[in-house]
Amino acid sequence: MKENHKYQAFAVLKDGTRHLIEAESIIIQLEEEIEISLVPPHPVFQGKLTLATGSAIQGRENERDGGTQLIIEPGASNVIHITPKRF
């Protein structure tokens, strides 16, 4: 089986400079947390971003409250908007 390689992630400052971030995943807090994995969960997903919310986030597996849906809306030709909504 092919080995999974960690994606590189950067913090981009106002002046456009990039600073490498050493992380397994990044969590963004909106109404609900969205976790972006920097290590694909399986080789078949190499080259794709995996987003997780709620109990799908590592360490939150035992949560049993209401779930979260990811609402995906198109933006420009190469942009999408993703909003987490609790239900």
Side-chain angles (χ1 to χ4, degrees):
M1 186 180 324
K2 210 163 113 181
E3 183 183 329
N4 286 356
H5 295 285
K6 185 170 84 168
Y7 303 138
Q8 289 186 328
F10 299 88
V12 181
L13 304 181
K14 278 186 175 183
D15 66 2
T17 59
R18 295 178 178 207
H19 297 275
L20 184 63
I21 298 171
E22 286 297 324
E24 293 286 316
S25 65
I26 297 171
I27 293 179
I28 299 171
Q29 289 186 301
L30 301 169
E31 290 180 28
E32 171 71 21
E33 291 181 345
I34 296 176
E35 181 176 18
I36 302 171
S37 176
L38 300 177
V39 179
H42 188 277
V44 74
F45 298 115
Q46 187 74 34
K48 299 177 183 179
L49 286 179
T50 300
L51 304 179
T53 61
S55 61
I57 295 176
Q58 189 173 14
R60 293 176 57 181
E61 298 90 347
N62 295 324
E63 288 186 6
R64 296 286 180 234
D65 56 342
T68 303
Q69 292 182 342
L70 291 173
I71 309 302
I72 302 170
E73 301 170 294
S77 63
N78 59 348
V79 174
I80 60 171
H81 301 282
I82 300 173
T83 309
K85 295 284 184 187
R86 281 185 160 271
F87 61 92

